[in-house]
Amino acid sequence: MLPILRPSSSPIRRRLRLGLLSHAHLATDAQQQPFKFSPQQSPHCAPFPKRTHNCGSLTAGDAGSRVILTGWLLPARKGKLVSFLPLKDSSGTTQLIVNHTHGHSLLTDVPVESNVLIEGTVSLRPQGARRPGPTGDIDVQVDNFVILNPAATLPFLPSNPHNLPNEDVRSRYRYLDLRRTLLSDNLKKRHQVARIVRHTFESHDFVEVETPVLLRSSPEGAREFLVPTRSATSTNPDSSTPLFYALQQSPQQPKQLLICSGGIDRYYQIAKCFRDEDGRKDRQPEFTQIDMEMAYVSWGQPQPITSPQSNKWRIGGIEVRELVESLIRKVWQELEGITLPKQFKVMTYHEAMTRFGSDKPDTRFGLEIVDITEFASPVQRTLLDTADEVLECIPIRATRDRGFIDASRRYQGLDSIERVVITQENITSWVHDLALLRPPSDMNSASVCRVNEALRLAVGDEIWVTRRSKFLKGGSTPLGQLRTQLFELAQSHEAVRISKDPHFLWITEFPLFTQGDQDKEFLAKGRWSSTHHPFTAPVWQDIEAMYNGELASVRGQHYDLVLNGVEIGGGSVRIHDAPMQNYIFTEILKLDEKERAPFNQLLHALQCGAPPHGGIALGFDRLMAMLCKTQSIRDVIAFPKSGTGTDLLFKSPAPVPLTTLEQYGIQPRNERK
């Protein structure tokens, strides 16, 4: 039995026992701390009984049982004779009943969020007082309690979801923020998904292998984090130049080398990765991906690719697709109770960009882009063709797109896009008024009416028109950006409702090379760069065009998995032909000898009988954000970085002493002569 805490005859002793005063306060005032540890009871530093149950595990079947619970006290509802106090732990919440006539009212004076141990008896609630939830049928009548650790003055109360501070404050005190059920449930769901991932891969004969985090800097894609080292290497023992590791952007080379070795046929890993990029709601410098690679991945079907649009998987890597879809179906079935289609839809990059203006389109709503080049006059078509441009639009119809028409009227627009409001006065002449068409259109009224009929336009509709390059590059077009912004504006005003069902979509046949990726320009310096990474194989039908220098038309065996407009994974069939890989390095990407050096081991491994192989990396954080229905990946990471890449909890990054920098051969800018 626990000792019953009874009122003390001494006011000071009573305050000590209640947690209203500590022994330290009786001596001298302590120095100012980050938190003001004003009057509180000292933590219980002595033996205590083992808990018998978790707060979320008690049910009506436990009625009459004696139990010992531990957890955090939440705000009480106090009465003259009886008080009700929720007790919370990581499993849930149980309501405690404190009977004041039995001398237990002291518990109601314990500071909120204090950690306590409770001994009591489970009782059934009256029928009318029962609530949904695991512990909604019962209460625990408190007999005894021990204050294990009283709470000091807290910067905020995690138990009060209606009065939370801003994200910066919650990040500084993440250990308190994680006490919120919302965040702790997210982390538990993350654990469940990780368990399903491991079980699924292992059931398909994959082997989990840890790969190095400290690698060598290489021009693969994004900016890297560099890690200095004090040691000179055997390859450069006398150099005065500081030496650095690079934190892995992904385990790309190690996992390919594992497959090249032949010792591992199928690899997977839940891997930490690092990129020195600006933070976004779906990106941070340190992230986690579900990484996999497998040998003998196919190179597609033997028939030629003729159409730029297709809903069929026409490239290699079908084995990767089947495995990923199996994994995703299992996750959604077990965690969400949703049965997904046996196969996800497939769309080529060309189709995604021309219909939706995005390489990760959200297909839950319409607002599709229409190419109207054919409706321009012959003179204008000639000018567009000479400039390698097309004319396209997004029509927004007042009757069919009511929520979007309101958003369109509020939207300020983009400089490169022209808005036309269809009125009774201009319905047969609006084409003539387009400022982006020069010379003005010479179409007659009948021709404009044919345009209206093709676009199903009527008075009250709006149409957004622009010109863009015929050659698609990058991740979005101007109308694609407009489409997304109109959707977000309509959503913010609750003007449209879309399906809550997950819409999975594969995007395939990306351009293998690009000159339109600003994120890679610091490495490319005006040269061609790889759209995905330099190890992605071309579509086999485009190999000849690649060697002929027709780089803009070469498609890659690259595939992205998109969920509701968010890219949650990307992968490719890899190049296993060493001469082809070397040709891409030297003749297309124009890497010099120093830039090629980090890839020498991979080139040699390919020459040693490496099998055809491919894989994918799924963004674990983004996937969890979608499952947890949150906009920010920071809500599904235990200790995230801020939007600027800083850590407000651990105060990183932080400066180090000059003497430490000297050990690494690094000199601060202001110390240089």
Side-chain angles (χ1 to χ4, degrees):
M1 292 286 292
L2 298 174
I4 297 177
L5 296 185
R6 302 188 182 279
S8 169
S9 58
S10 164
I12 292 180
R13 290 180 61 192
R14 183 174 184 274
R15 292 177 70 194
L16 279 169
R17 188 173 290 261
L18 284 176
L20 301 179
L21 192 66
S22 70
H23 290 91
H25 285 91
L26 290 178
T28 58
D29 290 333
Q31 277 191 328
Q32 184 67 32
Q33 300 292 326
F35 300 133
K36 185 179 179 183
F37 287 87
S38 63
Q40 63 171 10
Q41 181 177 2
S42 299
H44 180 82
C45 297
F48 55 87
K50 180 181 179 180
R51 67 182 177 184
T52 60
H53 296 77
N54 294 324
C55 290
S57 65
L58 296 175
T59 66
D62 296 302
S65 301
R66 298 282 297 172
V67 296
I68 296 175
L69 304 176
T70 56
W72 289 265
L73 284 178
L74 304 187
R77 291 184 290 122
K78 297 182 180 180
K80 291 184 178 180
L81 299 178
V82 174
S83 293
F84 301 91
L85 296 88
L87 183 70
K88 179 183 184 299
D89 65 11
S90 63
S91 68
T93 303
T94 293
Q95 180 169 267
L96 308 178
I97 297 180
V98 175
N99 192 323
H100 297 182
T101 61
H102 293 170
H104 305 318
S105 59
L106 297 180
L107 183 59
T108 63
D109 295 325
V110 175
V112 173
E113 299 290 346
S114 293
N115 197 282
V116 299
L117 182 146
I118 300 294
E119 183 177 351
T121 303
V122 180
S123 63
L124 281 176
R125 291 183 182 180
Q127 192 67 39
R130 298 182 184 183
R131 297 290 181 267
T135 61
D137 294 337
I138 58 94
D139 296 315
V140 172
Q141 302 277 348
V142 176
D143 296 332
N144 305 301
F145 70 93
V146 170
I147 304 174
L148 297 176
N149 200 354
T153 302
L154 304 183
F156 67 93
L157 292 180
S159 56
N160 185 354
H162 305 294
N163 192 29
L164 291 174
N166 62 43
E167 187 177 29
D168 282 356
V169 173
R170 288 185 284 116
S171 295
R172 287 176 60 195
Y173 308 109
R174 185 67 170 181
Y175 42 86
L176 281 180
D177 204 28
L178 286 172
R179 200 173 291 179
R180 291 194 292 136
T181 301
L182 176 68
L183 294 187
S184 60
D185 283 351
N186 288 350
L187 295 184
K188 292 171 188 175
K189 182 175 280 192
R190 186 180 178 113
H191 159 72
Q192 290 177 294
V193 174
R195 177 180 52 79
I196 294 171
V197 167
R198 288 191 165 93
H199 179 268
T200 301
F201 279 123
E202 288 167 9
S203 68
H204 287 82
D205 298 324
F206 279 75
V207 177
E208 184 173 11
V209 181
E210 296 178 357
T211 56
V213 172
L214 295 173
L215 292 170
R216 176 178 177 174
S217 178
S218 62
E220 292 183 26
R223 293 182 188 272
E224 300 167 316
F225 284 103
L226 300 179
V227 181
T229 175
R230 294 178 295 108
S231 304
T233 66
S234 58
T235 60
N236 196 17
D238 301 320
S239 174
S240 60
T241 303
L243 301 178
F244 295 86
Y245 293 108
L247 296 180
Q248 64 174 2
Q249 298 180 37
S250 75
Q252 189 60 46
Q253 283 202 67
K255 69 180 182 179
Q256 285 193 242
L257 291 169
L258 278 172
I259 305 303
C260 291
S261 74
I264 299 294
D265 189 73
R266 296 185 168 196
Y267 141 94
Y268 86 95
Q269 179 184 190
I270 298 178
K272 278 291 184 185
C273 303
F274 308 87
R275 292 182 184 175
D276 189 4
E277 300 175 321
D278 295 334
R280 303 175 189 172
K281 65 182 180 182
D282 63 350
R283 178 186 295 178
Q284 70 160 27
E286 178 183 5
F287 59 97
T288 308
Q289 65 187 36
I290 302 168
D291 203 51
M292 62 86 72
E293 195 83 5
M294 56 197 304
Y296 304 107
V297 165
S298 65
W299 266 60
Q301 301 299 319
Q303 70 270 19
I305 297 175
T306 56
S307 169
Q309 298 185 357
S310 172
N311 62 353
K312 296 182 179 179
W313 189 282
R314 308 183 303 179
I315 60 175
I318 188 67
E319 300 85 356
V320 177
R321 176 194 184 184
E322 291 171 348
L323 178 67
V324 170
E325 289 180 351
S326 171
L327 170 63
I328 296 295
R329 283 197 304 271
K330 190 171 184 180
V331 168
W332 253 258
Q333 183 66 57
E334 291 195 19
L335 270 65
E336 302 294 295
I338 295 175
T339 302
L340 296 175
K342 187 167 184 179
Q343 282 196 329
F344 301 161
K345 292 182 178 180
V346 178
M347 188 179 295
T348 65
Y349 170 84
H350 183 277
E351 182 179 357
M353 292 287 281
T354 53
R355 286 180 59 192
F356 302 100
S358 172
D359 65 354
K360 47 181 180 294
D362 191 336
T363 56
R364 294 174 298 171
F365 63 98
L367 298 190
E368 290 196 26
I369 298 168
V370 182
D371 187 334
I372 55 173
T373 307
E374 64 178 292
F375 296 121
S377 68
V379 173
Q380 291 166 340
R381 285 201 301 271
T382 300
L383 292 173
L384 288 168
D385 190 57
T386 302
D388 287 327
E389 290 183 331
V390 296
L391 187 68
E392 61 182 15
C393 72
I394 292 182
I396 304 177
R397 304 166 186 95
T399 54
R400 293 181 53 191
D401 307 314
R402 186 175 301 276
F404 291 110
I405 199 74
D406 293 337
S408 180
R409 289 167 181 168
R410 286 191 297 266
Y411 187 65
Q412 297 301 312
L414 300 172
D415 293 340
S416 60
I417 307 176
E418 188 171 349
R419 172 169 54 185
V420 178
V421 180
I422 305 300
T423 65
Q424 194 66 52
E425 290 73 25
N426 71 359
I427 190 167
T428 60
S429 63
W430 64 269
V431 178
H432 300 275
D433 302 326
L434 289 173
L436 54 81
L437 282 180
R438 288 291 180 267
S441 175
D442 57 358
M443 295 171 61
N444 57 34
S445 297
S447 298
V448 176
C449 287
R450 284 195 292 271
V451 177
N452 294 341
E453 184 179 353
L455 298 178
R456 303 191 302 281
L457 292 177
V459 172
D461 294 347
E462 296 191 2
I463 182 169
W464 295 82
V465 189
T466 191
R467 297 162 58 169
R468 67 156 174 83
S469 171
K470 283 182 182 178
F471 305 108
L472 294 163
K473 60 183 180 180
S476 64
T477 66
L479 284 183
Q481 296 170 30
L482 169 74
R483 179 178 182 268
T484 300
Q485 291 165 2
L486 287 178
F487 172 65
E488 292 174 350
L489 184 58
Q491 283 280 89
S492 67
H493 288 80
E494 299 182 349
V496 296
R497 292 185 179 181
I498 58 173
S499 169
K500 294 183 179 179
D501 295 335
H503 282 223
F504 286 95
L505 175 69
W506 288 103
I507 305 297
T508 63
E509 299 178 36
F510 286 79
L512 187 58
F513 307 108
T514 182
Q515 287 182 314
D517 192 337
Q518 295 180 353
D519 289 340
K520 298 181 179 180
E521 181 55 31
F522 77 99
L523 287 172
K525 299 180 177 64
R527 304 172 296 189
W528 286 95
S529 61
S530 298
T531 302
H532 186 39
H533 57 52
F535 319 115
T536 299
V539 171
W540 70 266
Q541 294 93 337
D542 292 351
I543 292 176
E544 184 177 352
M546 182 183 74
Y547 284 120
N548 289 337
E550 303 167 19
L551 302 184
S553 64
V554 179
R555 291 157 296 179
Q557 298 197 61
H558 169 196
Y559 31 81
D560 276 357
L561 183 60
V562 176
L563 169 58
N564 296 347
V566 177
E567 178 198 332
I568 61 170
S572 68
V573 177
R574 321 304 188 189
I575 298 169
H576 64 283
D577 178 339
M580 177 188 292
Q581 183 69 81
N582 190 54
Y583 180 85
I584 289 174
F585 285 154
T586 58
E587 303 301 322
I588 298 177
L589 303 181
K590 304 294 185 183
L591 303 184
D592 59 31
E593 186 175 348
K594 185 176 293 186
E595 290 172 322
R596 291 197 308 273
F599 307 123
N600 286 340
Q601 63 277 354
L602 179 60
L603 282 170
H604 186 259
L606 297 179
Q607 293 176 314
C608 296
H613 57 286
I616 195 170
L618 298 174
F620 196 16
D621 307 312
R622 291 185 185 182
L623 183 67
M624 291 311 308
M626 301 296 282
L627 279 166
C628 296
K629 301 173 178 61
T630 178
Q631 294 295 313
S632 173
I633 62 171
R634 291 191 284 275
D635 289 337
V636 297
I637 299 173
F639 297 101
K641 304 292 187 292
S642 72
T644 58
T646 58
D647 191 319
L648 300 178
L649 172 60
F650 296 105
K651 309 298 186 296
S652 64
V656 298
L658 293 179
T659 52
T660 302
L661 292 179
E662 290 173 358
Q663 298 176 38
Y664 295 95
I666 300 173
Q667 191 174 21
R669 288 193 185 98
N670 57 4
E671 295 292 326
R672 298 172 187 167
K673 295 181 180 180

